[in-house]
Amino acid sequence: MAENGLKKKLNIAVVGGGLVGSLEALYLAKRGHNVSLYEYREDIRNTPQVRGRSINLALSVRGRTALKDVGLEDHIIQNHGIPMKARMIHRTDGSTYEIPYDARTNQCIYSVGRNYLNGLVLKETENYTNVEKHFNHKLIEANLQKGALTFLNTDTKGTVQVNADLIIGADGAFSAVRKAMMKQPLFDYSQKYIEHGYLELCIPPTEDGQFQMPANYLHIWPRGNFMMIALPNQDCSWTVTLFMPFQNFKAIDSEETLLDFFTKYFPDSIPLIGRKRLVEDFLGGSPSPLLAVKCRPYNVADKALIIGDAAHAVVPFYGQGMNAGFEDCTLLDRLFQYHHDDLAKILPEFSETRWRDTFAISDLAMYNYIEMRDLVTRPSYLVRKAMDDFLFWLLPGVWVPLYNSVTFTTMPYSHCVKNREWQNTVLLYLFYFIIFCVFVGVWSYLR
Amino acid sequence: MAENGLKKKLNIAVVGGGLVGSLEALYLAKRGHNVSLYEYREDIRNTPQVRGRSINLALSVRGRTALKDVGLEDHIIQNHGIPMKARMIHRTDGSTYEIPYDARTNQCIYSVGRNYLNGLVLKETENYTNVEKHFNHKLIEANLQKGALTFLNTDTKGTVQVNADLIIGADGAFSAVRKAMMKQPLFDYSQKYIEHGYLELCIPPTEDGQFQMPANYLHIWPRGNFMMIALPNQDCSWTVTLFMPFQNFKAIDSEETLLDFFTKYFPDSIPLIGRKRLVEDFLGGSPSPLLAVKCRPYNVADKALIIGDAAHAVVPFYGQGMNAGFEDCTLLDRLFQYHHDDLAKILPEFSETRWRDTFAISDLAMYNYIEMRDLVTRPSYLVRKAMDDFLFWLLPGVWVPLYNSVTFTTMPYSHCVKNREWQNTVLLYLFYFIIFCVFVGVWSYLR
């Protein structure tokens, strides 16, 4: 009997030391298992971060729940995350207005730095003697049935053989573990690139180190078929991301066309970014693609499992990629607890129950791009939102609007979608009822 | 100037010597290009064929069109293919009835042996000095951008480097060329295994070498959630295929459960297959999975292209897998002609125009499983079919029923689907009109 009441200490290899991989290693370490973490790149804590170009992410309740489990929530919320209480919509004339995320209880999402958070979780694993970390280890072969992995040590150029009781693939959207899984029969898989790409720009801090825009907002410039957003960074800069069809990017091939484009659609952003920097960053960069991956099952018997982007890469428009990956770790931990670390029960159950929710958030994220870049500016959206907010205020436990249930609860994503469906039905009947009442009213009056 | 009016003789590597690969090699040889065909397995013409277990296929108009182009249609139709003029539906009591494929013009589909047809096409390439065939060559590396391939010669264990102006991947549902293509950015891909598998059985000829069932039919035992079908072979045997959910296969694990199952659902087939052989073949075999692959684009610049199952593996229920693959070859040949062998025009155009049709036949094939195993027994199906047949007879050039347009024309698959949609609309309005007429009639009478 190992410590922590474990029947058996498992040797677990976690492939991928990104956000989800390192969090999963930490969860497993807390359960008392022997964890070896393998990461292709070098230790992110030793990588110098390009100032103002850090990619930031929106942390919401699912992610916070996981961080709370491993004792890091308070640190992140109090010392690092920048609360964003509302969307700030920028019109083409430069004027703005707010759309709160949660008018009822004032809950926020938090802008956090990917590298900072990753480093923090990795550092936390150092408090556990049962975690070994191996950076610069590239997975080159995997026999998932046997729990055998071969890594190339990119420092020494030597190969390393690993045998584990359990392999967890948390190695991202282009997962090597998933690639090995695809050779299994009956593995359903789809990858879809959307026709839009993204390009990152930067709004630097003022000379005295202040934010150039109101800080506690996610800024959005919705322009119908494309949009720009900005999330605040700790150093008072903003990471600005332009999402647009590739063909539109292609059409902007000179300083002139670029400045024409920005003057027409994002005039208020030009002085913020700075004309020179805009030209340099835009014409010096090239748009990156956006990929969605769906697959199932997530496990190979009781030997291997994929989680995070490896299992379900989503487009970024619901801000749920990291949150969904962190939630995988939380749910997996609950199953370890419930099934007393019995992998033969844990892995199939995780796979059979989780895919509906990850498929749901994938579809929601696709849909939310249209909402963010287009619908958000329409009166119909604002009317629906006002109605949702009113009913949410009236019936807080019953009527939870879609965005709130996804972002501020841990309700399974597929239930969030189902909720929305019955809410739509109710509103439709309410609409019929109002029409009927008006009709009866007019009739009574005329009679 | 090369012969055949070619501006330039291209060196083309065709990967895969199955039905589609060898047909494509033949098409290209006829155009005067230098073709090298690489096949993983040994020459199919030297492989002894297990008697009565040959997999047979339904050849229809798209496949015939391609075979006509290369001068093989007459031979196949006159000397080999067995015409199937109708479905023969077997009820559980052993009684049968016919549903013709084309009551108006009596067109047939033809049962052909996969190996026979493959061998015939390979043999035909021997009439061309500009075709080289390399069997036992397994693709192990591909740089599609550069047109470079590395094969392992599984005889000599040596590797072979190949450089080509054009690589054509016709290497089937598990294509190695497609795997190399997947590394390209912006490649959309999906593979889906259905929850049903298939198992092949055999009805042998009678002792005096005759068919045990009426030969000119595709026999179907539709049973709702599963079905059995039989296609005739040249040696008067039948290849019988049982399609069923994997879990149902799993439940049949003994002679007793097997015979109970067949006695309940396919009683008339037991004496035809033979009790002993049924038990041996069923319990000695295991069900194979059914895979559908969709992807796009099909090309890498002007250097590589995938066709056939490599580009669009479909489930077999519309009998269009081979026919769609052969049609790829035909369409590609038309583009070679139209664009004067200019690969920079041919490959993108093929990719951009073909995927809508292959996606359509993939969806139709999924749908047709439900039709074959279930709907075909319902009165609503027979009423619709009677109406379709009547309108087809009345308006032959205008009202072509879905099955006919897919099977007996070369109308693009996506147009067949669109046709069906407007036909549905017309029938709906016709229905409304009839209801209206009845209403008016009753009202006139009562007045």
Side-chain angles (χ1 to χ4, degrees), chain B residues 194 196 227 243 290-294 309 312-322 324 357-373 402-403 406-407 413 416-417:
Chain B
I194 64 171
H196 295 229
M227 71 173 182
F243 297 95
L290 293 160
L291 172 65
V293 171
K294 284 181 184 175
D309 281 1
H312 46 75
V314 299
V315 292
F317 307 110
Y318 226 111
Q320 286 293 310
M322 170 185 67
D357 295 313
T358 59
F359 280 32
I361 189 60
S362 184
D363 296 342
L364 282 174
M366 283 283 184
Y367 166 77
N368 213 49
Y369 185 29
I370 306 169
E371 183 159 311
M372 279 180 93
R373 74 182 195 225
L402 179 63
Y403 189 90
V406 169
T407 308
Y413 290 122
C416 301
V417 173

Side-chain angles (χ1 to χ4, degrees), chain A residues 52-56 90 111 198-204 212-213 218-221 227-233 236-243 249 262 266 268-270 272-274 277-278 281-282:
Chain A
R53 294 297 302 261
S54 75
I55 297 173
N56 43 23
H90 292 242
S111 177
Y198 72 94
L199 189 83
E200 283 191 352
L201 302 166
C202 177
I203 294 176
Q212 289 202 61
M213 299 190 293
L218 195 160
H219 292 255
I220 310 180
W221 291 254
M227 72 172 182
M228 199 163 77
I229 66 170
L231 272 78
N233 293 317
C236 296
S237 68
W238 294 85
T239 300
V240 180
T241 313
L242 174 62
F243 296 95
F249 276 111
F262 264 73
F266 312 115
D268 59 339
S269 76
I270 300 176
L272 299 174
I273 300 172
R277 186 155 188 180
L278 172 62
D281 285 3
F282 196 105

Side-chain angles (χ1 to χ4, degrees), chain B residues 30-49:
Chain B
K30 285 177 80 85
R31 297 199 63 79
H33 296 297
N34 293 325
V35 183
S36 300
L37 182 72
Y38 298 89
E39 165 58 42
Y40 175 29
R41 280 158 291 206
E42 66 175 316
D43 191 337
I44 202 167
R45 293 168 293 174
N46 306 333
T47 317
Q49 197 171 314

Side-chain angles (χ1 to χ4, degrees), chain A residues 125-373:
Chain A
T125 62
E126 278 164 17
N127 297 329
Y128 295 84
T129 53
N130 50 337
V131 180
E132 278 177 9
K133 293 185 285 294
H134 307 270
F135 295 97
N136 304 309
H137 274 60
K138 181 184 177 182
L139 181 65
I140 53 173
E141 221 180 299
N143 185 330
L144 301 181
Q145 292 277 7
K146 292 190 178 167
L149 300 171
T150 308
F151 293 94
L152 176 73
N153 182 326
T154 54
D155 276 341
T156 65
K157 308 294 173 200
T159 57
V160 182
Q161 303 287 338
V162 175
N163 282 285
D165 299 316
L166 169 63
I167 294 164
I168 294 192
D171 49 345
F174 299 94
S175 169
V177 176
R178 188 186 65 221
K179 201 172 277 176
M181 243 180 218
M182 283 186 69
K183 292 175 193 157
Q184 301 277 115
L186 304 181
F187 187 75
D188 283 354
Y189 175 77
S190 99
Q191 64 179 49
K192 176 153 187 58
Y193 286 90
I194 64 171
E195 283 169 24
H196 295 229
Y198 72 94
L199 189 83
E200 283 191 352
L201 302 166
C202 177
I203 294 176
T206 59
E207 281 189 7
D208 55 344
Q210 301 300 309
F211 280 110
Q212 289 202 61
M213 299 190 293
N216 295 124
Y217 296 91
L218 195 160
H219 292 255
I220 310 180
W221 291 254
R223 296 295 179 262
N225 195 30
F226 55 95
M227 72 172 182
M228 199 163 77
I229 66 170
L231 272 78
N233 293 317
Q234 280 282 315
D235 66 355
C236 296
S237 68
W238 294 85
T239 300
V240 180
T241 313
L242 174 62
F243 296 95
M244 195 161 69
F246 280 103
Q247 62 199 52
N248 297 31
F249 276 111
K250 218 173 161 182
I252 301 172
D253 53 359
S254 67
E255 195 171 325
E256 200 189 339
T257 48
L258 173 63
L259 291 173
D260 281 355
F261 174 74
F262 264 73
T263 306
K264 185 167 177 191
Y265 293 110
F266 312 115
D268 59 339
S269 76
I270 300 176
L272 299 174
I273 300 172
R275 188 175 291 248
K276 184 163 167 281
R277 186 155 188 180
L278 172 62
V279 172
E280 275 172 19
D281 285 3
F282 196 105
L283 299 177
S286 68
S288 305
L290 292 159
L291 171 65
V293 170
K294 284 181 183 173
C295 64
R296 60 183 282 230
Y298 296 143
N299 68 312
V300 174
D302 59 351
K303 275 293 179 190
L305 186 75
I306 48 174
I307 59 174
D309 280 2
H312 46 75
V314 300
V315 292
F317 307 112
Y318 227 111
Q320 286 293 311
M322 170 187 65
N323 289 288
F326 278 12
E327 192 174 51
D328 287 350
C329 302
T330 307
L331 295 171
L332 202 49
D333 188 62
R334 302 291 183 271
L335 289 173
F336 267 89
Q337 183 68 30
Y338 184 77
H339 290 304
H340 306 291
D341 302 86
D342 182 349
L343 298 176
K345 289 181 181 160
I346 296 165
L347 270 51
E349 186 169 330
F350 179 85
S351 181
E352 281 157 29
T353 55
R354 186 63 173 152
W355 70 271
R356 268 176 236 281
D357 295 313
T358 59
F359 281 32
I361 189 59
S362 184
D363 297 342
L364 283 174
M366 283 281 185
Y367 166 76
N368 213 49
Y369 186 29
I370 306 169
E371 183 160 311
M372 279 180 92
R373 74 181 195 227

Side-chain angles (χ1 to χ4, degrees), chain B residues 215-287:
Chain B
N216 295 124
Y217 296 91
L218 195 160
H219 291 255
I220 309 180
W221 290 255
R223 296 295 179 261
N225 195 32
F226 56 96
M227 71 173 182
M228 199 163 76
I229 66 170
L231 272 78
N233 293 318
Q234 280 283 312
D235 65 355
C236 296
S237 67
W238 294 84
T239 300
V240 180
T241 313
L242 174 61
F243 297 95
M244 195 161 69
F246 279 104
Q247 61 199 53
N248 297 32
F249 276 112
K250 216 172 163 185
I252 301 173
D253 53 0
S254 67
E255 194 170 328
E256 200 190 339
T257 48
L258 172 64
L259 291 173
D260 281 354
F261 174 74
F262 265 72
T263 305
K264 184 167 178 192
Y265 293 109
F266 312 115
D268 59 339
S269 75
I270 301 176
L272 299 174
I273 300 172
R275 186 175 291 247
K276 184 163 167 282
R277 187 156 187 179
L278 171 62
V279 173
E280 275 171 21
D281 285 2
F282 196 105
L283 299 178
S286 68

